[in-house]
Amino acid sequence: MYGFEAMTFNIHGGYLEAIVRGHRAGLLTAADYNNLCQCETLDDIKMHLSATEYGPYLQNEPSPLHTTTIVEKCTLKLVDEYKHMLCQATEPLSTFLEYITYGHMIDNVVLIVTGTLHERDVQELLEKCHPLGMFDSIATLAVAQNMRELYRLVLVDTPLAPYFSECITSEDLDDMNIEIMRNTLYKAYLEDFYKFCQKLGGATAEIMSDLLAFEADRRAVNITINSIGTELTRDDRRKLYSNFGLLYPYGHEELAVCEDIDQVCPCCDGKISSLPINFLQTILRREPDA
Amino acid sequence: MEKFIDNLSPMDLMRSEKMSLVQLIIPVESAHRAVSYLGELGLLQFRDLNAEKSPFQRTFVNQVKRCGEMSRKLRFFKDQIIKAGLLSSIHPVVEPDVELEELEMQLAEHEHELIEMNSNSEKLRQTYNELLEFKMVLIKAGSFLVSNNNQAVAEEWELSENVYSSDRYVEASSLLEQQMRTADQSGLRFISGIIFQSKALRFERMLFRATRGNMLFNQAPAGEEIMDPLSAEMVKKTVFVVFFSGEQARTKILKICEAFGANCYPVPDDFSKQRQITREILSRLSELETTLDAGIRHQNKALTSIGYHLTQWMSMVRREKAIYDTLNMLNFDVTKKCLVGEGWCPVFAKAKVQEALQRATFDSNSQVGSIFHVMDAVESPPTYFRTNHFTNAYQEIVDAYGIARYQEANPAVYTVVTFPFLFAVMFGDWGHGICLLLGALVLIARESRLSTQKLGSFMEMLFGGRYVLLLMSLFSIYCGLIYNEFFSVPFHIFGGSAYKCRDATCSDAHSAGLIKFRDPYPFGVDPSWRGSRSELPFLNSLKMKMSILLGVAQMNLGIILSYFNARFFHSSLDIRYQFVPQMIFLNSLFGYLSLLIIIKWCIGSQADLYHVMIYMFLSPTDDLGENELFWGQRPLQIVLLLLALVAVPWMLFPKPFILKKLHSERFQGRNYGMLVSSEFDPDVEPDSAWEHHEEFNFSEVFVHQMIHSIEFVLGAVSNTASYLRLWALSLAHSELSTVFYEKVLLLAWGYDNVVIRLIGLAVFAFATAFILLMMETLSAFLHALRLHWVEFQNKFYHGDGYKFKPFSFALITEDGD
């Protein structure tokens, strides 16, 4: 069917494509951002946003606004639009849309588990979770003591279950292995998503492989930088890199042996022309204090 | 002739209202009042003089914000009133307008009061819910426990998070804790509680996993529905009792309960204690209920008193916001004491605007009066037609194609009649016409009621076009009488048929035909044509010729309107090199065809008009033979053909060359470009847009003219052919209704069975209502629309103006904010 996919496209995708194109018109423009820069109070921001598509979400907020409320309400718009599209989507688009949320789900799981480890209130943690990554039994995560329990109690019901096979251990949870868990999950997730997109083929594979390769490379660089100076061994570090992307496989070998932050940049040289080098420098500048 | 045209009394709708750009200079102290009076007047369109400023950099941004805040409060009140199930707008009290500041204070007070009441009642509601849940848990869980007791299992009850802190329970708990410790050896404990029904299954599964199956889960649906405090909806809940053993399992289960939002309540083991607690709870419940009821009554009273004013307040806040939005469009003058505004205003309304300004000055005791004066405008003014209920819909039909250029001829004047008429030509059936008429009359009779309420989008459309519908139905009754069709059945309304059979038996009626024995049928089509073998050829030829006649007439009207436009804008060039050749071209070909049609009808000739028209082009010099309709037809045809051939270069070449010559003459040897441009007043010649440009691009003008000419020449043929859709749709309509009448109604009537007859009648009625009355109306409407937009309006109508949008309170709608 390659080449003829546009012929039957409108049957399933026509409405949603129109919706997405409509959403693009609702994005804030450069002029909007210029105006937002000139705002002096949060009320000014609300007033300016009220002329945009965010207006209906903010109009019923009482006047002493908080930044969190603005962010929350604007995220709510995204979530509402996402939910609407998910409701309308048919296979394989609905699966694709669900894949998008898995990243948020992983972050939420890590957030809750870390939070419980530091004895924070679950309700408070739940408020901080990204609404796209919510699943039913997320609050139960607090019950689990170690990875095995985490998997057996809660995650076995979620779409994240297959990604967990790598990291089922009976070790107690601590910051270090939570972070490793996050990265293992992400690795499995990205690889799965990549495979799914390749299976779909066509424009999806073309565009998504670039985007996912970028994400995989970004994470690889990130992991390298964050693991320098920790007790993570080279082999363990090597295991966390996703098995695709522009850095795979030779870049990964080089990244795995990096001992300090200045060695990271040369590793990526020449392999990732599409990854703007100044972006990399931005990461390098930002990451140490993160 | 020209004098006669100039002396015609001006038609209201023909030209849009004369506009003038006015400048207002209003002292700051009376600005608010002045703008509010202008808003009531609704005849001035303000221009935004601060377009480059973002909304929060403008002068009156704080007032706009306050209005936004107030309307938020009002929306909150409205939500509350709806939530409480009260009707808000039943008795709107009209009070004198209060001051904005006062209103703001009132609103803040009301809001504060309401929020406090809400929080109070919420607290009460929560306690009430907890007690209610406890009661249910006691009743349901108690029954589990009793049945378990009978099995002589040494049971243990578990005290869990006791939410309310009644002294009695603390006491009881300590007492029972002792019991628990003694019974701890047996190892079996339980937790009872209540959970949302939708979550119960997952909850059970999670418990099972967490305890590795070492637990027993009992559940029963709670008898009553409980109000969810967040969404104020009634939700179903399930009472559960979990039996388990071990301390670790307990913490786990409690955590899971918390995660699932399940409320745990202790149930005493002892039956008598259970009953005692139940009694206490019941008494507390009834107490709380009275408190809650009193609170709700109080709240409702407050809400009702707000509800009386709500509509008025809302409209007032909307007005204030509109006023400040408008004030934000004005500029401060140099001294910062006056506001300067610019706007368009119809010439007839100048006096009213001035009067409003004076009134504002007077009412606000201002020392300085407002200044009002007319300015010169460079850009073209907006288009404003003063329509009424009747003409509004027709103007909308034209506006949907494009807003008229300022002061150009408005096709809506003719659309009022031609649109329904062309519709009726396609929809000619007086039975269907009567149905439409009834519908239109219902809409018009309920006009006053329907116009106030909100309608669905479809009804809105139907209601907006009620007068179009009225005329459409009247014309289709007229056309139906001409076609002699009533649900496709012919009637002898205007006397008997002119035809009769050759003999008494009528056996050869379908082979040899009928004979004419008296004068033709006085009005419309003779009913005898119906069902005859030559019915279709006869009606087709009639309707086809009629369509061409109507089309040529309407296109001629369009071209004549272009003449009126050219005269109005004093552009003799357009008359001489556009209007005249166009007239000649169209009429020498299709005007001649129309003439032939009329002659043929009058003298009853057998001539083949296709043949005449085609050989007029192919071999104009040949003899016409039997197709000759009148003496001198051949020379006339040659002359007409030559005229048409001459008309094409006539409309193509002279205009661009003359324009070029005019331009080069006008700008010859002139150096003062700036002065030249201010020399001619744009108001005199707004049509000649090219004059505003300094350079004259000949090739562009020429290509433009070429496109126009080619379009007209080709369009003359294709547009005339396009009018044949009148015949085609009319044919389709009559054939469809014949099919439904004969193949459904008559067929069913042929059976001697009541059921079949009823079914036939029902199918016929549905087909008539949905296919003929709805679908056919729509399609005929669309085709009539196309004939007006494309075939009629492209002859003269530019439609590139913009609409006059005055600042008016009447136009601020409900969902405006």
Side-chain angles (χ1 to χ4, degrees):
Chain A
M1 277 303 276
Y2 191 72
F4 289 95
E5 52 189 4
M7 206 158 76
T8 54
F9 175 76
N10 274 355
I11 298 172
H12 296 296
Y15 173 67
L16 283 175
E17 198 201 0
I19 294 267
V20 171
R21 283 178 191 278
H23 285 329
R24 200 177 65 169
L27 295 179
L28 296 184
T29 60
D32 283 323
Y33 283 110
N34 281 341
N35 279 335
L36 284 175
C37 289
Q38 293 165 0
C39 289
E40 278 164 9
T41 63
L42 289 177
D43 277 332
D44 285 350
I45 291 181
K46 179 185 167 186
M47 192 164 162
H48 185 83
L49 286 180
S50 68
T52 66
E53 300 222 332
Y54 293 98
Y57 286 87
L58 283 172
Q59 68 171 359
N60 280 338
E61 289 310 306
S63 199
L65 275 173
H66 294 287
T67 42
T68 43
T69 338
I70 297 181
V71 173
E72 192 183 312
K73 293 291 166 184
C74 293
T75 318
L76 189 65
K77 174 175 178 281
L78 172 79
V79 174
D80 282 353
E81 282 164 3
Y82 171 82
K83 280 183 181 155
H84 178 74
M85 294 206 310
L86 188 62
C87 284
Q88 302 289 336
T90 51
E91 282 295 336
L93 179 61
S94 54
T95 316
F96 181 84
L97 284 176
E98 274 164 8
Y99 262 107
I100 293 174
T101 63
Y102 294 169
H104 293 293
M105 246 184 231
I106 295 173
D107 286 340
N108 283 354
V109 168
V110 172
L111 179 76
I112 300 257
V113 173
T114 330
T116 337
L117 207 63
H118 296 281
E119 288 169 354
R120 298 276 192 80
D121 183 34
V122 182
Q123 221 52 45
E124 188 189 317
L125 289 170
L126 283 179
E127 276 165 24
K128 281 186 191 160
C129 286
H130 196 285
L132 277 185
M134 287 303 232
F135 49 93
D136 287 332
S137 40
I138 192 163
T140 334
L141 282 171
V143 181
Q145 297 294 327
N146 56 34
M147 297 280 189
R148 191 177 293 280
E149 267 191 342
L150 201 65
Y151 175 72
R152 206 175 51 80
L153 277 180
V154 190
L155 294 177
V156 72
D157 281 343
T158 66
L160 297 184
Y163 308 147
F164 226 82
S165 54
E166 287 277 315
C167 48
I168 299 176
T169 54
S170 306
E171 276 176 74
D172 272 0
L173 292 166
D174 60 44
D175 281 341
M176 174 83 171
N177 59 28
I178 288 174
E179 203 51 41
I180 291 175
M181 176 186 89
R182 182 214 292 269
N183 285 310
T184 325
L185 285 179
Y186 249 110
K187 173 193 171 170
Y189 157 61
L190 286 177
E191 281 170 6
D192 190 31
F193 197 7
Y194 185 76
K195 235 183 280 166
F196 174 73
C197 292
Q198 293 301 323
K199 201 178 78 195
L200 288 182
T204 316
E206 240 168 72
I207 293 166
M208 285 311 291
S209 65
D210 277 356
L211 286 177
L212 288 172
F214 171 78
E215 178 69 13
D217 292 340
R218 190 185 72 82
R219 294 201 71 84
V221 173
N222 220 339
I223 290 166
T224 314
I225 297 167
N226 282 340
S227 65
I228 288 170
T230 60
E231 52 205 63
L232 198 71
T233 63
R234 286 176 183 180
D235 284 343
D236 284 345
R237 190 197 288 177
R238 175 80 189 75
K239 269 186 214 155
L240 295 178
Y241 300 150
S242 308
N243 287 333
F244 66 97
L246 300 174
L247 289 176
Y248 177 77
Y250 303 114
H252 285 174
E253 299 298 338
E254 289 175 43
L255 279 178
V257 297
C258 280
E259 290 292 343
D260 86 69
I261 201 156
D262 295 330
Q263 294 173 346
V264 174
C265 234
C267 297
C268 311
D269 259 353
K271 296 177 191 76
I272 30 179
S273 53
S274 70
L275 188 71
I277 206 75
N278 55 359
F279 167 75
L280 196 65
Q281 277 156 359
T282 325
I283 300 182
L284 289 179
R285 242 177 286 129
R286 208 183 47 190
E287 283 305 327
D289 50 56
Chain B
M1 175 67 189
E2 296 202 342
K3 267 223 175 88
F4 169 73
I5 289 170
D6 286 338
N7 289 338
L8 282 175
S9 61
M11 281 187 276
D12 256 357
L13 266 182
M14 185 68 175
R15 308 271 169 205
S16 64
E17 293 295 333
K18 274 212 174 67
M19 291 290 187
S20 49
L21 184 66
V22 295
Q23 192 178 39
L24 316 170
I25 302 174
I26 317 169
V28 176
E29 62 268 23
S30 65
H32 181 270
R33 203 177 284 265
V35 170
S36 98
Y37 286 165
L38 288 175
E40 271 158 33
L41 188 64
L43 282 170
L44 187 66
Q45 174 178 0
F46 283 94
R47 293 209 308 180
D48 194 352
L49 300 179
N50 301 324
E52 78 285 356
K53 283 188 187 169
S54 54
F56 46 84
Q57 287 171 330
R58 300 186 177 202
T59 326
F60 295 95
V61 60
N62 281 325
Q63 281 86 338
V64 173
K65 265 189 218 163
R66 267 164 57 197
C67 290
E69 182 68 16
M70 268 150 67
S71 55
R72 184 193 64 75
K73 278 175 190 154
L74 288 170
R75 274 198 301 273
F76 171 70
F77 295 155
K78 201 176 181 185
D79 277 355
Q80 289 290 319
I81 287 173
I82 291 170
K83 217 172 173 183
L86 301 171
L87 290 171
S88 60
S89 57
I90 27 171
H91 305 295
V93 181
V94 182
E95 276 186 0
D97 280 2
V98 277
E99 280 296 307
L100 196 65
E101 282 73 23
E102 206 177 307
L103 180 66
E104 198 173 6
M105 265 158 56
Q106 271 187 22
L107 289 183
E109 220 169 87
H110 282 302
E111 193 194 19
H112 186 70
E113 192 186 355
L114 267 182
I115 287 177
E116 199 165 324
M117 270 195 264
N118 276 350
S119 72
N120 280 345
S121 69
E122 209 162 278
K123 262 184 227 155
L124 279 176
R125 166 71 58 186
Q126 194 163 357
T127 333
Y128 178 78
N129 275 351
E130 274 160 12
L131 281 174
L132 196 65
E133 284 178 3
F134 193 7
K135 187 188 93 182
M136 287 176 195
V137 172
L138 274 177
I139 294 169
K140 298 286 174 184
S143 61
F144 294 138
L145 296 179
V146 169
S147 59
N148 282 329
N149 265 339
N150 289 348
Q151 291 159 12
V153 180
E155 258 177 328
E156 171 62 35
W157 65 271
E158 171 70 21
L159 186 77
S160 61
E161 276 73 18
N162 194 345
V163 200
Y164 53 95
S165 54
S166 156
D167 291 357
R168 208 187 319 278
Y169 289 119
V170 175
E171 204 179 283
S173 69
S174 62
L175 190 89
L176 289 161
E177 236 160 52
Q178 291 169 357
Q179 273 189 7
M180 183 186 83
R181 236 170 275 130
T182 55
D184 217 6
Q185 293 97 9
S186 68
L188 197 62
R189 309 135 169 245
F190 71 86
I191 290 177
S192 54
I194 195 161
I195 190 172
F196 288 111
Q197 199 170 39
S198 53
K199 286 184 181 173
L201 194 68
R202 260 182 292 127
F203 179 61
E204 186 181 350
R205 192 163 59 206
M206 190 58 67
L207 285 177
F208 187 85
R209 276 195 207 136
T211 56
R212 303 179 180 252
N214 295 324
M215 61 109 201
L216 188 68
F217 188 82
N218 265 323
Q219 58 172 348
E224 299 167 49
E225 291 189 335
I226 295 172
M227 185 146 115
D228 189 11
L230 285 179
S231 59
E233 277 173 14
M234 302 306 273
V235 283
K236 281 185 179 163
K237 288 198 163 188
T238 302
V239 175
F240 66 88
V241 181
V242 199
F243 299 94
F244 59 92
S245 67
E247 185 62 29
Q248 259 205 324
R250 177 174 168 269
T251 44
K252 265 188 194 165
I253 289 174
L254 282 178
K255 262 190 179 169
I256 292 172
C257 285
E258 196 189 341
F260 274 85
N263 299 327
C264 301
Y265 298 95
V267 178
D269 217 3
D270 194 358
F271 194 63
S272 61
K273 216 161 248 153
Q274 256 185 42
R275 275 178 51 194
Q276 187 196 341
I277 295 176
T278 316
R279 263 203 307 281
E280 278 161 23
I281 285 174
L282 281 179
S283 73
R284 283 199 56 184
L285 266 178
S286 63
E287 262 170 49
L288 266 176
E289 211 158 323
T290 43
T291 332
L292 262 178
D293 276 353
I296 287 174
R297 264 204 305 280
H298 185 56
Q299 195 178 1
N300 281 356
K301 224 164 91 188
L303 282 175
T304 334
S305 74
I306 292 173
Y308 285 142
H309 305 285
L310 194 63
T311 349
Q312 194 202 350
W313 286 347
M314 279 181 132
S315 73
M316 200 183 134
V317 170
R318 262 200 301 274
R319 277 159 162 241
E320 287 295 326
K321 186 159 184 286
I323 290 173
Y324 285 117
D325 278 338
T326 310
L327 282 174
N328 272 336
M329 291 187 190
L330 309 185
N331 248 340
F332 270 110
D333 75 337
V334 201
T335 59
K336 292 265 177 194
K337 276 178 189 157
C338 291
L339 282 167
V340 181
E342 284 176 19
W344 294 105
C345 140
V347 171
F348 72 87
K350 268 191 208 162
K352 286 186 196 165
V353 171
Q354 257 168 326
E355 194 266 335
L357 288 176
Q358 267 166 15
R359 206 147 41 91
T361 319
F362 182 74
D363 288 354
S364 54
N365 296 321
S366 171
Q367 303 292 321
V368 199
S370 307
I371 301 169
F372 174 91
H373 64 93
V374 178
M375 300 198 338
D376 285 339
V378 180
E379 58 189 292
S380 171
T383 309
Y384 175 46
F385 293 108
R386 274 194 284 176
T387 55
N388 52 24
H389 279 294
F390 186 79
T391 49
N392 188 35
Y394 298 96
Q395 188 65 52
E396 293 282 313
I397 287 176
V398 172
D399 285 353
Y401 174 80
I403 309 289
R405 186 180 276 189
Y406 178 61
Q407 294 253 298
E408 83 170 322
N410 180 13
V413 179
Y414 305 95
T415 306
V416 171
V417 173
T418 53
F419 184 84
F421 179 66
L422 288 191
F423 169 86
V425 171
M426 295 179 266
F427 197 77
D429 187 314
W430 59 280
H432 296 147
I434 287 173
C435 295
L436 280 192
L437 180 64
L438 291 179
L441 286 180
V442 167
L443 285 177
I444 291 170
R446 307 170 93 195
E447 186 176 85
S448 55
R449 198 174 342 145
L450 286 174
S451 57
T452 51
Q453 68 197 52
K454 261 208 154 89
L455 306 164
S457 64
F458 184 73
M459 267 307 280
E460 184 103 47
M461 210 166 65
L462 218 58
F463 179 70
R466 59 199 181 279
Y467 288 108
V468 184
L469 207 60
L470 176 75
L471 280 199
M472 285 189 333
S473 61
L474 288 178
F475 277 112
S476 40
I477 292 173
Y478 168 72
C479 282
L481 287 174
I482 289 182
Y483 296 159
N484 206 344
E485 290 197 30
F486 177 85
F487 294 109
S488 83
V489 185
F491 275 74
H492 294 76
I493 305 175
F494 303 101
S497 168
Y499 301 93
K500 67 171 183 183
C501 297
R502 284 167 196 273
D503 50 35
T505 56
C506 248
S507 55
D508 56 352
H510 278 278
S511 48
L514 308 172
I515 49 165
K516 191 171 174 182
F517 73 104
R518 57 169 146 172
D519 283 343
Y521 192 70
F523 184 85
V525 175
D526 195 306
S528 295
W529 285 106
R530 161 67 52 181
S532 68
R533 252 187 8 193
S534 50
E535 179 198 0
L536 269 188
F538 170 72
L539 282 179
N540 282 351
S541 131
L542 171 74
K543 287 177 178 172
M544 239 189 278
K545 284 170 184 152
M546 205 175 69
S547 309
I548 288 176
L549 287 183
L550 293 174
V552 170
Q554 200 183 21
M555 285 192 290
N556 269 316
L557 175 64
I559 301 176
I560 290 171
L561 282 175
S562 83
Y563 167 74
F564 280 107
N565 266 345
R567 271 193 67 76
F568 186 83
F569 295 121
H570 305 288
S571 149
S572 56
L573 205 63
D574 279 340
I575 298 178
R576 260 178 258 149
Y577 303 108
Q578 201 140 325
F579 164 70
V580 175
Q582 281 185 355
M583 241 5 213
I584 290 174
F585 184 82
L586 183 71
N587 285 312
S588 61
L589 300 181
F590 296 101
Y592 174 61
L593 177 62
S594 309
L595 182 75
L596 289 183
I597 290 171
I598 292 170
I599 291 175
K600 189 180 163 181
W601 275 349
C602 290
I603 64 176
S605 150
Q606 298 277 323
D608 183 2
L609 294 187
Y610 299 112
H611 194 270
V612 175
M613 282 309 286
I614 289 168
Y615 282 90
M616 176 173 162
F617 294 102
L618 293 183
S619 46
T621 50
D622 278 7
D623 196 28
L624 285 164
E626 59 178 7
N627 287 325
E628 183 159 343
L629 280 162
F630 53 90
W631 181 83
Q633 191 178 359
R634 193 160 56 116
L636 178 68
Q637 281 188 4
I638 294 171
V639 171
L640 287 177
L641 195 62
L642 286 177
L643 274 177
L645 285 180
V646 169
V648 177
W650 187 355
M651 65 179 107
L652 176 58
F653 293 113
K655 194 181 162 188
F657 284 104
I658 292 173
L659 282 180
K660 189 183 179 192
K661 192 162 148 257
L662 278 179
H663 180 84
S664 57
E665 270 173 15
R666 184 170 280 164
F667 290 96
Q668 206 168 31
R670 292 202 179 161
N671 295 322
Y672 305 113
M674 288 309 288
L675 281 177
V676 168
S677 65
S678 65
E679 209 174 87
F680 39 87
D681 188 355
D683 273 345
V684 180
E685 287 175 308
D687 197 24
S688 42
W690 59 273
E691 278 167 331
H692 297 303
H693 301 297
E694 278 295 294
E695 56 197 283
F696 176 78
N697 194 341
F698 177 72
S699 61
E700 199 174 295
V701 172
F702 190 77
V703 168
H704 198 71
Q705 185 66 23
M706 200 161 76
I707 291 172
H708 264 284
S709 312
I710 292 174
E711 196 191 331
F712 182 82
V713 171
L714 296 182
V717 183
S718 69
N719 289 357
T720 311
S722 183
Y723 274 96
L724 287 176
R725 72 185 67 235
L726 293 175
W727 153 64
L729 265 97
S730 160
L731 174 72
H733 184 84
S734 77
E735 287 304 305
L736 262 180
S737 52
T738 311
V739 166
F740 288 129
Y741 177 69
E742 282 179 1
K743 301 293 171 197
V744 178
L745 194 63
L746 289 189
L747 195 74
W749 230 247
Y751 292 92
D752 204 13
N753 186 334
V754 181
V755 179
I756 293 180
R757 283 184 176 190
L758 278 180
I759 291 174
L761 195 65
V763 171
F764 176 71
F766 271 103
T768 304
F770 288 105
I771 298 178
L772 292 175
L773 284 179
M774 281 175 63
M775 305 294 293
E776 280 280 292
T777 307
L778 262 181
S779 84
F781 186 93
L782 288 179
H783 283 284
L785 204 62
R786 185 222 141 94
L787 286 179
H788 278 83
W789 281 356
V790 181
E791 273 76 30
F792 176 49
Q793 292 183 7
N794 80 353
K795 302 286 185 292
F796 67 99
Y797 190 58
H798 294 284
D800 53 358
Y802 64 102
K803 212 171 184 170
F804 177 57
K805 287 192 191 102
F807 168 61
S808 158
F809 290 144
L811 295 180
I812 306 170
T813 47
E814 185 98 9
D815 37 36
D817 56 333

